[in-house]
Amino acid sequence: MDGYIAQQLLNGLILGSMYALVAIGFTMIYGIIRLINFAHGDIVMIGAFLTLGLVISGKISFPVIIILVFIGGALMGILIERVAFRPMRGAPQVTGFITSLAISILLQNLGILLLTAQPRNFFCPDYLQTIYHFGPVSLRAIDLGIVVTAVVLMIFLVLLVRFTRLGMAMRATAENLNVARLMGININHTIMLAFAIGSGLAGVAGMMWGGKYGQIDPLLGFVPGLKAFVAAVIGGVGSIPGAMLGGYLLGFGEVLFVGLLPPIYSSYRDAFVFTTLIMILLVLPNGLLGRKTEEKA
Amino acid sequence: MDMLEIRDSHVYIGQTYVLKGVSLEVRHGEIVALIGANGAGKTTTLSTISGLTRSRRGKILFRPDPDTTQRDITKAPAEGIVKMGISHCPEGRQVFSDLNVWENLLIGAYLRKDKQAIQSDLQWVCELFPILRDRRRQSAGNLSGGEQMMLAIGRALMSRPRLLLLDEPSLGLAPLLVETIFEMLEQINAQGTTILLVEQNALMALELAQRAYVMETGQITLSGTGMELAENEAVRKAYLGAT
């Protein structure tokens, strides 16, 4: 039984890593322009197909593919920000939200049009399929890759945001757009950077998603998008550490819910996710690490 | 020649006609006060200068130093205006509470590349406001109102402005603290920074300023030296509490 729980915790760690990566982008974009970007999940889908394309097209090694997929996701994020969200800057929040829904539907249907709705098998090289056993728990090399890659990316991000001039500009812009401009910060650049980093991470999460589940289709972005949104809200939307924490909590919670209860409950996992969300928001309306919204006079 | 010249500026915020043809000048080395009641358009005047708000008609001209050429900054982006030497310390302090005190000061120097000069300016700001050095690792959100004001002024100085726009530095501060801040402004001005000061506290502003303008409902209604305005009957009645 202990081995079983350990295995479940491990699965939670893997799932949580992916949620956290997607949730970071959600939270960065919300933090900086107060936009709930429902198209964010579809970047995960684009990342997955981009990975598949790169794997099929040539003998590019996986670490290089990670970098290329990050860049691809980032470019996609920049493109969307430029053509869809920048013209909406200053419009009411709802306008941006509806724009993001439109972009999401557009990307999904473009995917169906160009790639067909037929799920495709996701190729992983054999070395990533190797199964390792550690006492009672076992995991594939790809699972290990997911966790390590996610953690490395998150450490990079935290260092960037905490200790660089660019990160300082991002934090300032997220707190107060207009005063950031008074400091001479070009907020268009900062906003673009937030989209680029967030979408790059989502793209890499897409690569992981494909590797984990083995099949991808143009609608796959919906689930990670929604779950990451929940994770970001649980952690306190706008807070990057909050998004990481929320992602992992959600991953653990979901896996343990399915793993520890009798199998007939497993189809209620999404109900569990949303019940958790509601309960956390009832107690902590700003999420676990969210900033209080009131301001000092 | 004037350092800053606003010519007949008309500004709308949304549908509201806020500035109805404002003209004013600031000369090199001066402290100029802009006084008036709430909603007269003082803050909008400052944010139009710094590029946060756009005027629909009119011109804003700026000459960083007496011997440089005059530049039209009416349509310049906010970050460009900072670079040219105008720093705007906004109303209500608005320090970055997620950043610590040191980072707030450093971000004031965001556009500067001269690392050594930035360090010496940090020293200078800390000499003006020693409390900032003691609190440098604290997040700015945990400072008291007065400390936040000092930080906001210090942050605005870190871009090495030729012209400092100050919006209500006395707002919500204890009288003793206001006096300290005004003494600092005098010192900052004496060290070569021109100041355009928006104030509700008309008495103190008129004492400090060489010249002043009175604004009412989007227009300049009076102007003169600080002394003249302080003795003006209408000003005394409306803003200085004389009966």
Side-chain angles (χ1 to χ4, degrees):
Chain A
M1 192 61 195
D2 285 350
Y4 179 72
I5 292 178
Q7 182 72 52
Q8 293 303 329
L9 286 174
L10 190 64
N11 291 343
L13 189 68
I14 298 158
L15 193 61
S17 297
M18 296 191 292
Y19 288 164
L21 280 189
V22 188
I24 288 169
F26 242 119
T27 236
M28 285 177 82
I29 292 167
Y30 181 86
I32 218 155
I33 53 171
R34 305 292 179 267
L35 168 78
I36 298 186
N37 180 13
F38 265 92
H40 194 61
D42 298 292
I43 306 284
V44 176
M45 177 270 288
I46 291 171
F49 276 99
L50 193 57
T51 310
L52 186 58
L54 288 170
V55 171
I56 293 173
S57 70
K59 298 222 166 297
I60 309 170
S61 71
F62 246 70
V64 177
I65 292 185
I66 295 178
I67 294 167
L68 291 176
V69 169
F70 183 92
I71 293 170
L75 290 176
M76 201 62 210
I78 290 172
L79 180 72
I80 293 173
E81 193 275 327
R82 194 70 192 78
V83 301
F85 295 127
R86 196 175 294 181
M88 303 291 166
R89 191 96 45 83
Q93 221 174 352
V94 179
T95 314
F97 171 68
I98 292 175
T99 306
S100 80
L101 278 178
I103 297 295
S104 171
I105 294 169
L106 178 77
L107 290 177
Q108 290 173 5
N109 286 285
L110 267 180
I112 293 175
L113 199 69
L114 299 174
L115 303 159
T116 78
Q118 192 70 35
R120 286 161 201 255
N121 287 325
F122 192 88
F123 295 106
C124 265
D126 285 338
Y127 71 91
L128 284 176
Q129 303 283 8
T130 328
I131 296 175
Y132 297 102
H133 299 275
F134 300 99
V137 300
S138 61
L139 81 169
R140 291 181 302 161
I142 185 147
D143 297 331
L144 196 65
I146 288 174
V147 176
V148 171
T149 310
V151 170
V152 168
L153 286 173
M154 285 188 266
I155 290 172
F156 264 119
L157 180 70
V158 169
L159 293 178
L160 175 84
V161 171
R162 277 285 133 208
F163 299 113
T164 67
R165 182 170 170 271
L166 218 54
M168 203 163 76
M170 288 177 71
R171 280 183 288 148
T173 311
E175 184 173 338
N176 193 329
L177 222 60
N178 274 335
V179 179
R181 292 174 64 196
L182 292 180
M183 301 297 114
I185 295 168
N186 185 330
I187 56 164
N188 280 336
H189 290 172
T190 333
I191 292 170
M192 205 167 79
L193 189 70
F195 268 90
I197 295 175
S199 305
L201 294 177
V204 174
M207 174 180 192
M208 297 171 172
W209 200 267
K212 171 122 182 81
Y213 294 108
Q215 273 201 330
I216 59 175
D217 68 80
L219 300 182
L220 79 81
F222 181 73
V223 174
L226 200 61
K227 296 283 173 65
F229 170 66
V230 174
V233 174
I234 288 176
V237 73
S239 154
I240 292 175
M244 297 173 185
L245 180 67
Y248 280 106
L249 282 181
L250 193 64
F252 285 123
E254 209 182 307
V255 166
L256 291 178
F257 176 84
V258 176
L260 297 181
L261 289 177
I264 52 162
Y265 292 110
S266 67
S267 57
Y268 291 105
R269 67 195 286 172
D270 289 350
F272 162 78
V273 167
F274 288 99
T275 312
T276 313
L277 174 69
I278 291 168
M279 290 197 306
I280 288 181
L281 289 185
L282 278 175
V283 185
L284 295 164
N286 294 312
L288 295 171
L289 302 180
R291 144 164 23 106
K292 298 262 186 307
T293 36
E294 321 74 81
E295 287 182 356
K296 229 184 190 173
Chain B
M1 283 303 273
D2 296 332
M3 177 182 222
L4 179 82
E5 191 181 338
I6 305 181
R7 282 190 201 154
D8 192 33
S9 184
H10 294 256
V11 175
Y12 286 77
I13 293 185
Q15 301 296 316
T16 320
Y17 191 17
V18 183
L19 295 192
K20 303 163 184 171
V22 168
S23 300
L24 61 80
E25 300 99 49
V26 177
R27 298 177 199 133
H28 289 98
E30 276 186 323
I31 298 182
V32 174
L34 186 57
I35 62 175
N38 265 332
K42 307 184 299 291
T43 294
T44 307
T45 305
L46 292 193
S47 60
T48 307
I49 298 169
S50 61
L52 290 184
T53 319
R54 292 268 166 247
S55 51
R56 210 174 271 194
R57 226 170 64 203
K59 263 196 186 334
I60 303 175
L61 304 165
F62 179 59
R63 184 197 303 273
D65 291 291
D67 49 358
T68 51
T69 52
Q70 198 172 38
R71 285 195 266 187
D72 185 344
I73 60 166
T74 320
K75 294 198 165 58
E79 61 270 18
I81 291 173
V82 183
K83 199 156 201 176
M84 277 183 245
I86 299 181
S87 187
H88 179 173
C89 181
E91 186 176 20
R93 310 185 274 271
Q94 305 202 43
V95 293
F96 296 109
S97 55
D98 282 357
L99 274 58
N100 66 32
V101 168
W102 219 238
E103 290 174 324
N104 266 282
L105 291 175
L106 285 173
I107 208 154
Y110 186 73
L111 288 175
R112 296 172 52 186
K113 304 267 183 276
D114 44 346
K115 284 218 167 85
Q116 300 214 316
I118 290 175
Q119 286 307 319
S120 69
D121 283 356
L122 277 172
Q123 300 310 319
W124 171 53
V125 168
C126 287
E127 273 160 34
L128 285 173
F129 306 114
I131 191 79
L132 296 181
R133 189 197 303 277
D134 302 338
R135 304 225 187 267
R136 62 182 180 277
R137 298 272 161 244
Q138 282 188 29
S139 106
N142 294 336
L143 300 185
S144 73
E147 292 162 353
Q148 286 190 357
M149 190 65 238
M150 296 176 197
L151 178 57
I153 295 174
R155 183 182 65 178
L157 289 174
M158 286 302 295
S159 68
R160 275 212 174 162
R162 307 303 304 133
L163 172 64
L164 177 64
L165 311 176
L166 267 172
D167 201 343
E168 301 248 14
S170 75
L171 189 77
L173 298 186
L176 210 64
L177 215 57
V178 176
E179 238 162 83
T180 317
I181 299 246
F182 271 62
E183 273 163 30
M184 288 305 147
L185 295 185
E186 213 163 2
Q187 231 186 85
I188 291 163
N189 177 250
Q191 293 179 25
T193 310
T194 307
I195 296 176
L196 174 58
L197 171 73
V198 158
E199 252 309 331
Q200 293 262 359
N201 190 335
L203 186 60
M204 290 198 70
L206 292 179
E207 261 173 29
L208 179 73
Q210 283 103 49
R211 289 189 311 116
Y213 292 87
V214 179
M215 257 188 118
E216 270 168 60
T217 58
Q219 282 169 319
I220 303 277
T221 50
L222 270 174
S223 65
T225 64
M227 208 82 104
E228 278 165 14
L229 289 184
E231 282 160 12
N232 181 296
E233 203 52 37
V235 173
R236 288 169 62 88
K237 273 205 175 122
Y239 305 107
L240 302 180
T243 46

